[in-house]
């Protein structure tokens, strides 16, 4: 999956400042306030809120030796006080004298491009819109780190001095007076020559050491430096500017940053270290690394976010990412709590509100979710890519819930396409890719709205919208180096749309695509949680295929894909998923496969083998069912009761039918089911009780069925 690299502004600024500090070694003792012609401008993220993970981590290879590595040596000093949760500090000593290297990276301004999109009016033949193509050369993706173990958090120090713990007096006592001094960004900076390094720069916040910059005389391979500094077991993370150009990499557990020598090709990373920067342990690198792994290593992301929140509980972005990670694992209740914390900490951040709206929708609070998404639209006028995402989400929310409004949903999906189209050629990868993602989801949302709503020529319009979505997914894969997730998303949503078309369109092509792409993603997944999530998504997609084939009367295919769906859903379910969210769907699939045998083939004995799996799951779900689900569950129990009766399991048949009737009666009271729907269940109970010799019970149910029949005839 593509992850456009995200720049954490403070870390990027620190790396850029490391290059700027070189001036101090040749300037007067107190530098002037003028700006050098070749001085690097601070890298400022113009949006600061990319909706997907925006960097990629790299891993050091196994320990080894090389000529470059021989230039280094490491040693451990006695533990010193460390920042936050640290329990010690790692001291570093290096033999090579230091020189200087300055990286110059400039942040570019926003730009938008594209053209208005013409959209169809309702009840007209619907055609997908054509959008502008992206004009920016993509950056190559970077593989994730392979280290899985959690490293101990210990702040790194240098020659007895630890950022965040040591004071100016400690430095002067250990190193003497500085050779030069000046100010940068309002902070005091001292220059030292500490053998074997000629240039060591110490920055102070008040009287405490804020950072130490160790300059190398020449560059060394990052893997060699990491090995010699005993950082090989820590998962590093790249730090980039707003355009995705890599400035260096951070080691969160040590507070260590490598500043890379600039690369001639901004699409390629020059993993050669020019400076080593030490700073106090802080939350930002953990958050950055968590965002890197969010889509592929969910458990690792959650671990990093927990560390970040321990260091800084008021970090809104950490809470926001935590919400997304928890939602990816299916823990929607905890995800909502985390998203709410993010919004409370930073109420003006529209993207945080978008995520909270998503979480509300996933917990079934549709009205509240719509309200939150509308607030996100209002708060995102200066961030059009976030506004487009909020509009797309509003479309999704209006098309869900017990009373979907597909016309309103289509209007919001259309607005999202208009808002995103102008951004699909933006020079900033985070904005451009976010816009393309919205375009993809809005096309799929529009196809869903048309398939499930009341529109003309649905059977011809939906495939066209799906084809446009497929083209958008291909663009993301080709021009943005995305993975197969985009095409899998298209295939999955296409099958959901085919359910809305009630089997009038053959789902074969999309079923095959979903099965192949889903399995490829599962096989490639590195993280157990991610693998389970993909297995669940594949199972849900195949469940939709089962429904379509059942509608088309193609029972053999329905059973074939139904068994594959069962295998995927069973592999994908875990303890973090709630019954209504996960087990309920699996129970519905068990029931559907049994119903195909019972109704499609008249084979009740085989049907009850599936119902035996469905009953305990659906009974548990019945205790937590919402009003909209009560009717469906009630009818399900009544239907299963028939097969159990025919299979001579009569007590269970009566019990299930009674429970089904109770659920349906409640649905009638709640106004979500017509009372006439109870005629058949009452008739079934009358027949069952009569054959069991319960004459009085049989008479009662016959009378109730007759009353409903009379009422319906009036």
């Amino acid at each position: 999956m593509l992850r456009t690299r995200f720049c954490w502004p403070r870390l990027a600024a620190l790396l850029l400042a490391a290059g700027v500090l070189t001036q101090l070694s040749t300037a007067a003792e107190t530098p002037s306030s003028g700006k050098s012609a070749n001085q690097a401008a601070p890298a400022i993220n113009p949006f600061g809120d990319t909706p997907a993970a925006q960097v990629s981590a790299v891993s050091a290879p196994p320990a080894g030796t090389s000529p470059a590595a021989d230039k280094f040596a490491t040693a451990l000093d006695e533990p010193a006080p460390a920042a936050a949760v640290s329990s010690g500090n790692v001291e570093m000593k290096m033999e090579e004298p230091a020189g200087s290297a300055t990286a110059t990276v400039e942040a570019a301004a926003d730009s938008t491009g594209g053209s208005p999109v013409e959209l169809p009016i309702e009840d007209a033949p619907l055609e997908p819109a054509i959008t502008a193509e992206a004009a920016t050369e993509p950056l190559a993706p970077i593989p994730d780190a392979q280290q899985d173990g959690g490293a101990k958090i210990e702040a790194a120090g240098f020659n007895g001095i630890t950022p965040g713990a040591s004071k100016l007096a400690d430095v002067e006592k250990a190193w003497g007076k500085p050779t030069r001094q000046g100010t940068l960004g309002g902070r005091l900076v001292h220059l030292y020559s500490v053998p074997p390094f000629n240039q060591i720069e110490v920055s102070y916040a008040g009287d405490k050491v804020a950072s130490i910059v160790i300059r190398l005389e020449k560059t060394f391979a990052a893997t060699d430096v990491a090995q010699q500094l005993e950082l090989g077991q820590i998962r590093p993370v790249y730090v980039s500017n707003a355009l995705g150009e890599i400035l260096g990499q951070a080691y969160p557990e040590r507070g260590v940053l490598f500043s890379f020598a600039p690369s001639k090709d901004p699409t390629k990373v020059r993993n050669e270290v020019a400076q080593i920067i030490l700073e106090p342990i802080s939350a930002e690198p953990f958050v950055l690394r968590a965002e890197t792994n969010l889509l592929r290593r969910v458990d690792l992301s959650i671990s990093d976010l927990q560390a970040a929140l321990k260091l800084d509980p008021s970090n809104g972005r950490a809470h926001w990412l935590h919400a997304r990670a928890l939602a990816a694992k299916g823990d929607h209740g905890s995800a909502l709590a985390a998203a709410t914390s993010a919004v409370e900490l930073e109420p003006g951040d529209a993207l945080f509100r978008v995520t909270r709206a998503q979480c509300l929708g996933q917990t079934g609070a549709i009205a509240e979710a719509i309200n939150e998404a509308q607030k996100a639209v209002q708060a995102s006028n200066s961030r059009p890519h976030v506004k487009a995402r909020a509009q797309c989400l509003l479309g999704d929310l209006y098309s869900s819930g017990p009373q979907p409004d597909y016309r309103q949903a289509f209007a919001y999906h259309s607005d999202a396409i208009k808002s995103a189209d102008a951004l699909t050629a933006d020079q900033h990868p985070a904005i451009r890719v976010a816009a393309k993602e919205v375009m993809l989801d809005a096309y799929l949302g529009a196809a869903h709205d048309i398939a499930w709503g009341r529109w003309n020529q649905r059977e011809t319009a939906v495939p066209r919208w799906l084809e446009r979505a497929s083209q958008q997914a291909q663009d993301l894969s080709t021009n943005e180096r995305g993975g197969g997730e985009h095409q899998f998303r298209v295939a999955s949503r296409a099958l959901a749309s085919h359910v809305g078309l009630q089997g009038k369109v053959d789902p074969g092509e999309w079923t095959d695509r979903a099965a192949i792409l889903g399995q490829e993603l599962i096989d490639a997944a590195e993280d157990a949680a991610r693998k389970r999530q993909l297995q669940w998504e594949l199972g849900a997609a195949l469940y939709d295929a089962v429904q379509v084939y059942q509608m088309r009367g193609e029972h053999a295919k329905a059973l074939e894909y139904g068994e594959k769906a069962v295998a995927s859903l069973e592999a994908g379910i875990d303890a973090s998923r709630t019954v209504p969210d996960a087990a309920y769907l699996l129970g519905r699939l068990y029931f559907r496969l049994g119903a195909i045998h019972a109704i499609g083939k008249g084979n009740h004995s085989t049907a009850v083998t599936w119902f035996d799996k469905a009953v305990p799951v659906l009974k548990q779900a019945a205790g937590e069912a919402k009003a909209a689900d009560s009717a469906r569950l009630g009818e399900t129990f009544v239907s299963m009761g028939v097969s159990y009766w025919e299979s001579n399991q009569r007590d269970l048949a009566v019990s299930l039918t009674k429970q089904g009737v109770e659920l349906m009666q409640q649905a009638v009271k709640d106004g979500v089911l017509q009372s006439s729907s109870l005629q058949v269940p009452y008739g079934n109970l009358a027949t069952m009780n009569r054959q069991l010799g319960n004459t009085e019970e049989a008479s009662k149910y016959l009378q109730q069925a007759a009353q409903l029949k009379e009422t319906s005839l009036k």
Side-chain angles (χ1 to χ4, degrees):
M1 176 80 177
L2 168 79
R3 288 183 302 286
T4 310
R5 303 179 185 89
F6 171 69
C7 156
W8 191 285
R10 192 193 65 81
L11 294 179
L14 183 60
L15 289 173
L16 287 166
V20 174
L21 283 170
T22 306
Q23 308 172 58
L24 296 176
S25 64
T26 57
E29 186 164 318
T30 303
S32 68
S33 59
K35 192 170 185 179
S36 169
N38 60 3
Q39 179 176 334
I44 299 173
N45 189 334
F47 36 87
D49 54 9
T50 50
Q54 300 303 319
V55 296
S56 293
V58 293
S59 59
T65 60
S66 71
D70 292 338
K71 300 291 186 180
F72 296 97
T74 60
L76 291 176
D77 288 348
E78 289 299 316
V85 297
S86 175
S87 59
N89 68 292
V90 178
E91 295 288 334
M92 306 192 301
K93 296 180 181 179
M94 311 180 79
E95 298 175 353
E96 186 72 3
S100 65
T102 304
T104 301
V105 184
E106 296 188 5
D110 285 314
S111 68
T112 58
S115 56
V117 180
E118 294 295 329
L119 292 165
I121 59 172
E122 53 188 38
D123 296 328
L126 297 172
E127 295 284 347
I130 304 298
T131 64
E133 297 295 330
T136 305
E137 183 67 19
L139 294 169
I142 302 164
D144 285 315
Q146 299 301 312
Q147 298 98 321
D148 292 331
K152 187 177 180 180
I153 298 177
E154 296 177 313
F158 175 74
N159 274 16
I161 302 302
T162 304
S166 301
K167 296 182 178 181
L168 189 152
D170 299 324
V171 179
E172 292 189 345
K173 181 178 179 181
W175 299 357
K177 295 293 184 180
T179 58
R180 293 184 184 275
Q181 68 180 37
T183 59
L184 184 69
R187 286 188 173 184
L188 176 66
V189 179
H190 284 178
L191 272 66
Y192 282 90
S193 177
V194 180
F197 303 103
N198 292 330
Q199 295 187 50
I200 306 293
E201 290 137 10
V202 184
S203 173
Y204 296 92
D207 70 338
K208 273 196 174 182
V209 176
S211 67
I212 301 173
V213 179
I214 305 166
R215 300 193 177 279
L216 309 181
E217 184 178 273
K218 63 180 182 179
T219 61
F220 294 89
T223 52
D224 292 332
V225 179
Q227 175 190 333
Q228 293 302 312
L229 300 184
E230 299 182 357
L231 300 174
Q233 297 306 309
I234 297 175
R235 292 177 291 117
V237 59
Y238 278 140
V239 180
S240 67
N241 68 2
L243 294 178
E245 297 164 344
I246 302 301
L247 304 178
Q249 68 186 27
Y251 292 81
E253 285 85 355
R254 296 292 182 268
V256 175
L257 284 85
F258 290 169
S259 177
F260 290 161
S263 175
K264 294 180 180 179
D265 184 351
T267 67
K268 296 180 180 179
V269 183
R270 185 179 175 187
N271 288 294
E272 295 183 15
V273 182
Q275 297 99 24
I276 300 170
I277 305 168
L278 311 183
E279 62 167 354
I281 300 292
S282 63
E284 292 98 319
F286 287 98
V287 175
L288 187 59
R289 191 171 64 186
E291 192 162 9
T292 299
N293 291 309
L294 189 63
L295 299 180
R296 297 177 67 180
R297 311 293 297 275
V298 178
D299 287 337
L300 292 180
S301 288
I302 290 176
S303 178
D304 275 342
L305 291 165
Q306 289 171 340
L309 289 169
K310 188 174 182 180
L311 289 163
D312 182 7
S314 63
N315 191 309
R317 191 176 187 86
H319 284 287
W320 170 66
L321 289 169
H322 199 204
R324 293 175 57 196
L326 291 167
K329 291 196 69 175
D331 189 354
H332 300 307
S334 297
L336 175 58
T340 300
S341 295
V343 171
E344 288 174 348
L345 287 166
E346 299 184 36
D349 194 303
L351 192 59
F352 293 0
R353 290 191 178 276
V354 169
T355 297
R356 183 171 187 271
Q358 290 173 324
C359 294
L360 285 165
Q362 289 164 337
T363 58
I366 302 298
E368 191 177 352
I370 288 174
N371 181 56
E372 188 70 36
Q374 289 171 337
K375 290 180 180 178
V377 171
Q378 295 167 2
S380 61
N381 288 330
S382 61
R383 295 152 70 186
H385 63 297
V386 179
K387 182 177 182 179
R389 173 54 64 189
Q391 290 169 326
C392 187
L393 176 59
L394 279 167
D396 295 341
L397 292 169
Y398 271 102
S399 67
S400 59
Q403 296 179 321
D405 185 340
Y406 295 114
R407 295 191 185 280
Q408 186 64 60
F410 182 79
Y412 274 115
H413 284 135
S414 300
D415 288 343
I417 292 172
K418 291 178 181 177
S419 297
D421 180 56
L423 306 173
T424 56
D426 196 280
Q427 63 177 327
H428 294 291
I431 292 178
R432 183 179 69 250
V433 175
K436 290 184 177 184
E437 290 271 7
V438 170
M439 295 287 284
L440 172 61
D441 289 338
Y443 281 135
L444 292 171
H448 183 273
D449 301 336
I450 299 163
W452 287 82
R454 299 182 65 182
W455 305 83
N456 290 336
Q457 302 182 30
R458 294 187 307 155
E459 294 80 8
T460 56
V462 169
R464 291 171 182 164
W465 281 91
L466 292 175
E467 178 58 29
R468 187 55 189 159
S470 184
Q471 292 172 4
Q472 189 69 39
Q474 186 60 47
D475 172 55
L476 281 161
S477 298
T478 302
N479 296 321
E480 307 297 348
R481 306 292 178 87
E485 286 92 341
H486 298 102
Q487 291 288 6
F488 177 62
R489 189 190 314 172
V490 174
S492 301
R493 293 289 300 274
L495 289 171
S497 294
H498 279 62
V499 176
L501 293 174
Q502 299 178 329
K504 294 179 181 178
V505 178
D506 186 353
E509 177 186 0
W510 296 113
T511 304
D512 291 340
R513 283 196 200 181
I516 293 170
L517 291 169
Q519 192 58 52
E520 288 177 352
L521 292 171
I522 291 168
D523 293 341
E526 303 169 4
D527 178 67
R530 177 61 176 158
K531 190 181 289 287
R532 287 193 300 271
Q533 177 66 20
L534 288 167
Q535 287 168 325
W536 183 264
E537 291 175 4
L538 174 58
L542 294 179
Y543 178 41
D544 285 336
V546 171
Q547 295 184 75
V548 179
Y549 283 124
Q550 186 180 11
M551 294 173 186
R552 292 171 64 84
E554 298 181 44
H555 297 140
K557 285 188 175 180
L559 292 172
E560 174 191 352
Y561 286 106
E563 292 181 2
K564 292 179 180 179
V566 166
S568 291
L569 290 178
E570 288 179 340
I573 200 168
D574 61 49
S576 67
R577 294 182 178 276
T578 60
V579 169
D581 182 45
Y584 174 64
L585 180 62
L586 184 55
R588 292 294 310 171
L589 177 56
Y590 291 148
F591 163 71
R592 189 171 291 276
L593 293 176
I596 292 172
H597 284 287
I599 300 172
K601 297 188 171 186
N603 187 344
H604 293 286
S605 60
T606 301
V608 297
T609 63
W610 288 107
F611 293 160
D612 286 343
K613 292 184 175 184
V615 167
V617 176
L618 295 179
K619 277 192 171 185
Q620 186 175 355
E624 305 175 31
K626 303 179 181 66
D629 295 326
S630 296
R632 188 181 191 187
L633 273 170
E635 291 170 343
T636 297
F637 286 136
V638 170
S639 180
M640 289 191 293
V642 174
S643 288
Y644 279 110
W645 182 265
E646 294 296 332
S647 300
N648 206 32
Q649 298 185 53
R650 300 196 164 184
D651 289 342
L652 180 55
V654 173
S655 173
L656 283 174
T657 306
K658 283 184 176 180
Q659 186 171 0
V661 166
E662 290 171 0
L663 287 167
M664 294 173 70
Q665 288 172 335
Q666 184 60 50
V668 171
K669 291 180 181 178
D670 293 334
V672 297
L673 184 69
Q674 296 291 327
S675 60
S676 58
S677 300
L678 285 163
Q679 288 184 59
V680 170
Y682 285 155
N684 289 353
L685 284 173
T687 299
M688 292 174 180
N689 278 283
R690 184 172 62 250
Q691 292 189 30
L692 291 171
N694 300 326
T695 307
E696 186 175 343
E697 282 287 297
S699 177
K700 179 184 73 173
Y701 287 118
L702 277 175
Q703 184 177 5
Q704 289 176 317
Q707 289 174 346
L708 289 175
K709 185 175 182 179
E710 290 177 7
T711 302
S712 65
L713 292 175
K714 290 182 180 180

